[in-house]
Amino acid sequence: AGRLDTLPERFVAMDDVVAKELAEVEWHGDLAAIEERVSRYAAFSERINAQLSTRVMANYNEFVQGMQQVQAVETELTLINVLVKNGRRKLQERDRGLVQGSMRVTRQHKKAQRLKSLLQTLSEFQGVVQLHAQLGECLGRDSYCEA
């Protein structure tokens, strides 16, 4: 008889139990009946508390293991967060290094192209200077035909 199914329905429902109890109390001065009802409900309460305590203690180890697992997952997530942040930072450093290296290679390539262009222009000038020197030499020898 100490089971929850012996409780009146109003205690299991989610309604306002106190209001229902007060509505059902007969105020004819029968204090003994009221005290008997209070003691009966107190016994129900004690049995319910005992069952809850038993259930809590029966599941305590699982609860502790669950909390330990939650803490372990939290620790792992913190570590993963740190690793991700470090990875991002290193990737940004590498990215900056690649950009700087690429820009240096591009500058060197452009410089090499400019130098090749300048070398070609200087070669053309050298050819003109050689022609001018030959022309001057020919004119100095009065060899107008060779000039």
Side-chain angles (χ1 to χ4, degrees):
R3 300 191 53 94
L4 289 178
D5 54 348
T6 59
L7 278 175
E9 175 62 31
R10 65 180 165 268
F11 287 104
V12 180
M14 300 305 267
D15 299 328
D16 190 359
V17 176
V18 176
K20 286 186 176 185
E21 281 297 309
L22 289 176
E24 289 184 10
V25 171
E26 298 176 13
W27 296 99
H28 300 296
D30 190 6
L31 194 56
I34 294 174
E35 286 182 12
E36 187 272 326
R37 186 182 279 184
V38 168
S39 65
R40 191 166 23 119
Y41 290 159
F44 278 135
S45 176
E46 287 175 17
R47 286 195 295 258
I48 290 171
N49 283 337
Q51 286 181 3
L52 287 175
S53 294
T54 302
R55 287 182 183 175
V56 166
M57 292 311 290
N59 295 315
Y60 181 74
N61 288 335
E62 287 85 4
F63 173 75
V64 169
Q65 288 175 349
M67 289 304 295
Q68 289 172 344
Q69 287 177 348
V70 166
Q71 289 175 344
V73 168
E74 185 177 324
T75 302
E76 288 179 17
L77 287 175
T78 302
L79 176 63
I80 289 169
N81 191 25
V82 168
L83 292 174
V84 166
K85 284 183 179 179
N86 285 341
R88 284 182 181 161
R89 182 179 45 81
K90 288 179 181 178
L91 280 174
Q92 287 175 346
E93 290 172 2
R94 299 300 185 267
D95 190 41
R96 281 193 297 269
L98 284 173
V99 168
Q100 289 172 354
S102 297
M103 295 198 52
R104 187 175 65 243
V105 167
T106 302
R107 282 192 305 267
Q108 288 175 347
H109 180 70
K110 286 182 179 180
K111 183 178 179 181
Q113 286 179 334
R114 286 191 310 264
L115 288 174
K116 283 180 184 178
S117 174
L118 181 62
L119 182 61
Q120 183 180 356
T121 304
L122 288 176
S123 294
E124 290 174 3
F125 278 134
Q126 187 177 23
V128 169
V129 167
Q130 285 175 354
L131 283 176
H132 180 66
Q134 284 177 356
L135 183 63
E137 187 180 311
C138 288
L139 289 176
R141 287 182 302 174
D142 291 330
S143 178
Y144 297 113
C145 290
E146 286 183 37

